[in-house]
């Protein structure tokens, strides 16, 4: 990866003996608080951190943060990821000492407040999705899917249906769906999309038999399209004894409009860190609560919160439960943020969220289709997909447009996903963006289309304005440089190679 001269300088500003803070001598040196630690357990060598004054450290990190794209600095239309603005009041709530100082092993009587929040969030999710019971334990969407697969197997096992080994997944599905099912040992079978981007009913019927454990489905799907035949799909799978799993990572188009529970789904996960406004994208923490209809409630991971006339308590362990999927009670900080979001936005606010998310996406789609090809040009839900295939002659890929958008001050949309669209560019504006921002993005896209015709090389080598330009994405994932020591090592290797 290319590191700008600036970064290198900040990393190498270390001067032996330079300090940012000087600790009170009497507390930390004369009166050694660690004196009871046996010598063999004490570190014998220095830790090797860079040695800098406080202003250099502050400047280093602030300057690094300014090189980043985030929802707080830029429009971030990353499809399927719902990078909406996260109100700061959620952060304020999660930071309150009354929450941060809680211990997960505290007794029920001493922690009624957080119990109430866990309970109320579950109630809210039940109402929003039409499910009967939720576990808040899973730490992310994919973790929720894995939990869902555990529930599917437990349910079929309880009915002695051990021959159900197949999980059906549409070809437009998010990659985590087949991955979660396969990781859990299911045989993944792909169901084809029809020419309008929906589940091909005839192909679905071909795969339905007594071996189907479940169908995993996203609705609206990753093309941003609502499955018009959803009731028929869920009825068909149920007729064959299979369960219906709903990937609810992106609930943004459904809030207060439609409920997976009413569509016939048995299990659902939701991503609190997408729809319910927790910052994400940096690798966590997230939260992927899993909801079920009552016939699956006995299998949920425990413990679950119950409301009694004497207050909130942990429910007794259910013997049929699949067991815990996470230590303690999930990522409670994320749960507090989601709870705050629901309480501040209210029922009517939620409906407005979805209305605006859908309106924003359709507005952009209609404007952009004058210049770009929409994969399937129908009214969309919260996101839509362009196909950049039309620029094949100029040798331009979806990723090149993503890179060029960075120069215009926009985070790239999702590229090369969903896989069913060649050269896909997937755009999700979310409800929190002003019309002026959407218009600026549309203008940038139109400008880029012009550049493709006039000077395609410019697009192929974008971005031109950022310190990191075209890193090798495979190496960046397989051999990440995560610390300044890695960077130094990399630098010496490069110098050696050059010598
Ligand atoms: C984000 C997403 C997931 C996975 O969620 P993680 O929290 O990243 O594990 C699954 N399905 C869809 C449709 C998603 O957009």
């Amino acid at each position: 990866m290319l590191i700008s001269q600036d970064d290198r300088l900040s990393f190498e500003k270390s001067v032996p003996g330079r300090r940012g803070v000087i600790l009170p001598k009497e507390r930390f040196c004369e009166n050694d608080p660690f004196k009871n630690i046996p010598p063999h357990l004490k570190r014998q060598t220095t830790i090797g951190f860079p040695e800098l004054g406080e202003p250099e450290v502050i400047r280093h990190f602030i300057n690094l943060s300014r090189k980043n794209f985030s929802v707080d600095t830029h429009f971030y239309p990353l499809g399927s990821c719902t990078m909406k603005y996260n109100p700061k009041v959620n952060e304020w709530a999660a930071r309150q000492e009354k929450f941060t100082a809680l211990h997960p092993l505290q007794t029920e009587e001493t922690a009624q407040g957080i119990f109430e929040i866990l309970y109320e969030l579950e109630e809210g999710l039940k109402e929003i999705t039409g499910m009967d019971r939720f576990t808040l334990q899973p730490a992310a969407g994919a973790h929720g899917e894995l939990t869902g697969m555990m529930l599917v197997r437990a349910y079929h096992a309880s009915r002695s249906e051990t021959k159900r080994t197949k999980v059906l997944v549409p070809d437009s599905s998010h990659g985590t769906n087949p991955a979660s099912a396969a990781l859990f040992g299911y045989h993944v079978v792909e169901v084809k999309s029809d020419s309008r981007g929906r589940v091909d009913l005839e192909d679905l019927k071909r795969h339905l038999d007594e071996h189907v454990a479940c169908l995993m489905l996203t609705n609206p799907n990753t093309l941003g399209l609502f499955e018009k035949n959803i009731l028929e799909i869920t009825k068909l799978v149920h007729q064959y004894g299979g369960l219906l799993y709903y990937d609810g990572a992106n609930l943004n188009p459904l809030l207060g409009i439609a409920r997976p529970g009413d569509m016939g789904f048995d299990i659902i996960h939701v991503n609190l860190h997408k729809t319910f406004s927790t910052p994400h994208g940096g690798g966590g923490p997230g939260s992927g609560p899993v909801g079920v209809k009552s016939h699956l409630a006995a299998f949920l991971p425990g413990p679950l919160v119950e409301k009694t006339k004497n207050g909130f308590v942990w429910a007794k362990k259910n013997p049929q439960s699949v067991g815990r999927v996470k230590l303690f009670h999930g990522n409670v900080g994320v749960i507090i943020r989601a709870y705050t979001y629901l309480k501040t936005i209210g029922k009517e606010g939620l409906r407005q969220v979805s209305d605006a998310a859908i309106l924003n996406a359709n507005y952009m789609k209609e404007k952009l289709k004058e210049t770009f090809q929409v994969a399937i040009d129908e009214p969309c839900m919260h996101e839509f997909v362009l196909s950049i295939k039309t620029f094949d002659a100029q040798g331009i890929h979806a990723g090149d447009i993503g890179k060029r958008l960075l120069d215009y001050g926009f985070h790239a949309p999702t590229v090369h996903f969903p896989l069913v669209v060649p050269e896909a560019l997937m755009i999700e504006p979310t409800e929190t963006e002003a019309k002026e921002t959407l218009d600026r993005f549309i203008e940038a896209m139109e400008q880029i289309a012009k550049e493709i015709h006039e000077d395609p090389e410019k697009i192929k080598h974008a971005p031109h304005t950022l310190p990191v330009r075209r890193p090798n994405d495979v190496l960046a994932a397989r051999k990440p440089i995560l610390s300044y020591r890695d960077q130094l090592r990399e630098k010496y290797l490069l110098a050696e190679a050059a010598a």
Side-chain angles (χ1 to χ4, degrees):
M1 193 195 310
L2 272 176
I3 305 149
S4 83
Q5 195 60 15
D6 275 294
D7 285 326
R8 254 184 251 203
L9 287 175
S10 5
F11 273 114
E12 293 169 10
K13 271 184 185 153
S14 176
V15 176
R18 193 156 288 173
R19 287 287 170 272
V21 251
I22 298 177
L23 300 173
K25 223 178 179 171
E26 58 287 2
R27 276 181 57 204
F28 289 95
C29 301
E30 285 155 14
N31 214 347
D32 182 0
F34 307 114
K35 63 172 175 276
N36 294 331
I37 298 176
H40 73 280
L41 292 181
K42 284 189 183 169
R43 173 184 285 283
Q44 300 301 323
T45 51
T46 61
I47 199 161
F49 285 154
E51 298 174 72
L52 296 162
E54 184 169 324
E56 281 74 42
V57 174
I58 292 296
R59 281 175 201 153
H60 172 67
F61 284 109
I62 297 288
N63 282 331
L64 270 189
S65 77
R66 292 202 309 192
K67 295 196 166 93
N68 246 346
F69 279 68
S70 76
V71 234
D72 286 350
T73 57
H74 297 84
F75 178 42
Y76 208 130
L78 193 65
S80 199
C81 294
T82 311
M83 301 304 283
K84 60 169 81 177
Y85 173 75
N86 309 292
K88 296 299 170 245
V89 67
N90 305 346
E91 296 304 311
W92 168 85
R95 234 189 358 252
Q96 295 306 300
E97 202 184 0
K98 286 185 173 152
F99 299 129
T100 57
L102 279 171
H103 194 281
L105 292 179
Q106 249 169 272
T107 56
E108 289 142 325
E109 319 82 74
T110 64
Q112 285 290 299
I114 195 69
F115 271 79
E116 185 172 346
I117 287 179
L118 299 177
Y119 179 85
E120 289 267 316
L121 183 68
E122 182 182 349
E123 290 304 296
L125 293 177
K126 278 156 64 173
E127 194 175 335
I128 290 166
T129 60
M131 306 307 280
D132 297 322
R133 200 78 230 251
F134 267 87
T135 169
L136 304 180
Q137 274 185 18
H143 193 198
E145 292 168 20
L146 190 70
T147 307
M149 292 302 100
M150 294 166 80
L151 298 172
V152 168
R153 190 172 68 182
Y155 172 79
H156 290 309
S158 76
R159 298 155 54 93
S160 306
E161 295 223 43
T162 48
K163 279 202 294 251
R164 295 193 177 270
T165 52
K166 254 184 2 187
V167 168
L168 307 182
V169 183
D171 55 9
S172 64
S173 78
H174 193 270
T176 50
N177 293 186
S180 301
L183 188 71
F184 197 61
Y186 277 120
H187 175 51
V188 177
V189 178
E190 192 173 275
V191 180
K192 292 208 167 22
S193 299
D194 63 19
S195 60
R196 302 313 295 165
R198 311 319 202 278
V199 169
D200 182 332
L201 281 181
E202 292 315 308
D203 197 49
L204 174 65
K205 284 178 194 160
R206 269 194 287 281
H207 296 301
L208 284 173
D209 56 28
E210 72 283 9
H211 297 297
V212 170
C214 104
L215 169 69
M216 295 179 94
L217 203 67
T218 310
N219 186 28
N221 64 19
T222 58
L223 287 149
L225 300 171
F226 196 86
E227 288 289 348
K228 292 181 183 154
N229 296 320
I230 190 61
L231 294 176
E232 194 176 345
I233 293 171
T234 55
K235 199 170 116 198
L236 269 171
V237 176
H238 278 152
Q239 267 170 7
Y240 281 87
L243 290 172
L244 270 301
Y245 183 95
Y246 183 89
D247 177 342
N250 313 121
L251 280 189
N252 236 25
L254 289 193
L255 302 168
I257 297 177
R259 310 196 308 170
D262 301 332
M263 299 174 200
F265 285 92
D266 304 285
I267 310 174
I268 165 176
H269 84 259
V270 302
N271 278 21
L272 297 186
H273 50 287
K274 286 180 181 166
T275 315
F276 300 102
S277 178
T278 278
H280 60 286
S287 177
V290 169
V292 294
K293 287 286 182 57
S294 54
H295 55 282
L296 286 149
F299 306 106
L300 278 176
L304 301 166
V305 178
E306 248 166 32
K307 191 177 183 175
T308 71
K309 55 182 187 309
N310 299 321
F312 299 97
V313 294
W314 291 124
K316 275 205 202 60
K317 188 170 190 268
N318 196 313
Q320 286 180 289
S321 162
V322 298
R324 280 181 173 282
V325 295
K326 174 125 175 48
L327 279 178
F328 304 120
H329 321 308
N331 284 330
V332 173
V334 180
I335 290 167
I336 296 167
R337 287 176 178 88
Y339 170 86
T340 310
Y341 180 67
L342 287 185
K343 286 291 171 188
T344 49
I345 209 151
K347 219 179 205 176
E348 271 157 36
L350 279 184
R351 170 72 199 232
Q352 285 172 14
V353 163
S354 286
D355 285 348
I358 294 169
L359 184 62
N360 281 356
N362 279 285
Y363 175 72
M364 290 184 83
K365 179 177 75 71
E366 287 305 305
K367 291 280 182 179
L368 285 173
K369 82 181 193 197
E370 290 163 21
T371 324
F372 292 87
Q373 189 189 336
V374 180
I376 293 188
D377 187 15
E378 282 183 32
C380 64
M381 298 294 280
H382 63 304
E383 60 193 0
F384 60 96
V385 180
L386 302 177
S387 175
I388 303 306
K389 195 93 184 100
T390 44
F391 295 105
D392 266 1
Q394 290 82 9
I396 297 293
H397 300 285
D400 298 324
I401 295 185
K403 291 285 184 197
R404 184 63 178 145
L405 279 166
L406 299 173
D407 282 332
Y408 283 89
F410 298 107
H411 191 282
T414 296
V415 296
H416 300 301
F417 179 79
L419 303 175
V420 287
V421 175
E423 296 294 337
L425 201 67
M426 183 194 209
I427 298 172
E428 178 180 8
T430 84
E431 75 285 6
T432 55
E433 295 304 328
K435 178 171 176 293
E436 295 74 30
T437 308
L438 306 184
D439 286 336
R440 276 200 307 116
F441 181 85
I442 292 161
E443 238 173 75
M445 287 288 284
E446 285 165 355
Q447 193 61 35
I448 291 171
K450 239 190 250 155
E451 289 173 350
I452 291 176
H453 292 295
E454 288 161 8
D455 186 4
E457 289 308 306
K458 190 169 188 176
I459 312 292
K460 285 182 205 165
H461 296 101
H464 302 281
T465 55
L466 299 176
V468 177
R469 299 178 59 189
R470 293 227 170 190
N472 180 326
D473 357 354
V474 178
L475 271 187
R478 296 273 177 267
K479 202 170 150 282
I481 298 173
L482 298 175
S483 77
Y484 83 101
R485 264 183 241 127
D486 289 343
Q487 297 214 4
L488 288 182
R489 198 176 306 132
E490 196 74 2
K491 185 188 137 180
Y492 293 132
L493 289 178
L494 283 176
E496 236 170 58

